[in-house]
Amino acid sequence: FVKALSEGNTEFKAIVVVGKPLNGESFQKTLPCGYCRQFMSEYATEDFLIYAYDEEKDEIYQYTLEELLPEGFSF
Protein backbone atom coordinates (compact mmCIF):
# COMPACT_ATOMS: atom_id res chain seq x y z
CA PHE A 1 0.00 0.00 0.00
CA VAL A 2 2.69 2.49 0.94
CA LYS A 3 4.63 1.95 -2.29
CA ALA A 4 1.47 2.19 -4.39
CA LEU A 5 0.35 5.34 -2.57
CA SER A 6 3.80 6.93 -2.97
CA GLU A 7 3.46 6.41 -6.73
CA GLY A 8 0.01 8.00 -6.85
CA ASN A 9 -2.09 4.84 -6.95
CA THR A 10 -5.14 5.30 -4.75
CA GLU A 11 -7.72 2.80 -6.02
CA PHE A 12 -7.50 -0.68 -4.54
CA LYS A 13 -9.69 -3.72 -5.23
CA ALA A 14 -7.84 -6.63 -3.60
CA ILE A 15 -4.63 -7.86 -2.04
CA VAL A 16 -3.09 -11.34 -1.77
CA VAL A 17 -1.22 -12.13 1.44
CA VAL A 18 1.09 -15.16 1.57
CA GLY A 19 3.60 -16.28 4.15
CA LYS A 20 5.94 -19.12 5.02
CA PRO A 21 7.53 -20.01 8.33
CA LEU A 22 11.26 -19.34 8.63
CA ASN A 23 12.06 -23.04 8.19
CA GLY A 24 10.93 -22.77 4.55
CA GLU A 25 8.01 -25.16 4.66
CA SER A 26 4.92 -24.61 2.55
CA PHE A 27 2.87 -21.42 2.41
CA GLN A 28 0.45 -21.12 5.30
CA LYS A 29 -2.74 -19.11 5.63
CA THR A 30 -1.51 -15.65 6.62
CA LEU A 31 -3.69 -12.62 7.27
CA PRO A 32 -2.75 -8.96 7.74
CA CYS A 33 -2.24 -7.82 11.32
CA GLY A 34 -4.66 -5.44 13.00
CA TYR A 35 -2.53 -2.37 12.27
CA CYS A 36 -2.32 -3.30 8.57
CA ARG A 37 -6.08 -3.88 8.41
CA GLN A 38 -6.72 -0.45 9.92
CA PHE A 39 -4.20 1.16 7.56
CA MET A 40 -5.84 -0.48 4.54
CA SER A 41 -9.25 0.71 5.72
CA GLU A 42 -8.06 4.31 5.32
CA TYR A 43 -7.60 3.74 1.56
CA ALA A 44 -9.99 0.94 0.63
CA THR A 45 -13.71 0.31 0.88
CA GLU A 46 -15.35 -2.22 3.20
CA ASP A 47 -15.80 -4.64 0.28
CA PHE A 48 -12.04 -4.60 -0.50
CA LEU A 49 -10.95 -8.24 -0.88
CA ILE A 50 -8.13 -9.95 1.02
CA TYR A 51 -6.95 -13.33 -0.23
CA ALA A 52 -4.82 -15.84 1.66
CA TYR A 53 -3.39 -19.17 0.50
CA ASP A 54 -2.74 -22.44 2.33
CA GLU A 55 -0.42 -24.64 0.26
CA GLU A 56 -0.89 -27.81 2.32
CA LYS A 57 -4.67 -27.66 1.88
CA ASP A 58 -4.31 -26.12 -1.60
CA GLU A 59 -7.02 -23.69 -0.62
CA ILE A 60 -7.52 -20.00 -1.27
CA TYR A 61 -9.42 -17.99 1.34
CA GLN A 62 -11.29 -14.79 0.56
CA TYR A 63 -12.34 -12.13 3.06
CA THR A 64 -13.65 -8.61 2.83
CA LEU A 65 -11.97 -5.89 4.82
CA GLU A 66 -15.20 -5.51 6.79
CA GLU A 67 -15.04 -9.19 7.82
CA LEU A 68 -11.49 -8.84 9.12
CA LEU A 69 -11.94 -5.39 10.64
CA PRO A 70 -15.47 -5.10 12.00
CA GLU A 71 -16.19 -1.72 13.51
CA GLY A 72 -12.80 -0.33 12.53
CA PHE A 73 -11.94 3.27 13.38
CA SER A 74 -12.90 5.83 10.73
CA PHE A 75 -13.06 9.60 10.48
Side-chain angles (χ1 to χ4, degrees):
F1 267 76
V2 174
K3 178 67 172 162
L5 290 167
S6 72
E7 294 184 3
N9 298 305
T10 59
E11 294 184 26
F12 302 98
K13 294 181 181 181
I15 191 168
V16 176
V17 181
V18 294
K20 280 186 178 183
L22 291 176
N23 63 11
E25 293 181 14
S26 59
F27 288 102
Q28 296 178 353
K29 180 179 170 184
T30 304
L31 297 172
C33 71
Y35 178 85
C36 293
R37 295 173 196 189
Q38 180 61 44
F39 183 84
M40 287 187 285
S41 76
E42 302 297 324
Y43 301 97
T45 60
E46 293 177 346
D47 60 348
F48 174 78
L49 295 174
I50 300 168
Y51 293 95
Y53 177 62
D54 186 320
E55 189 172 10
E56 289 181 13
K57 295 180 181 178
D58 193 30
E59 190 165 347
I60 297 172
Y61 300 87
Q62 176 184 301
Y63 303 92
T64 64
L65 186 55
E66 174 66 16
E67 288 175 307
L68 295 182
L69 186 67
E71 300 182 40
F73 176 79
S74 64
F75 295 102

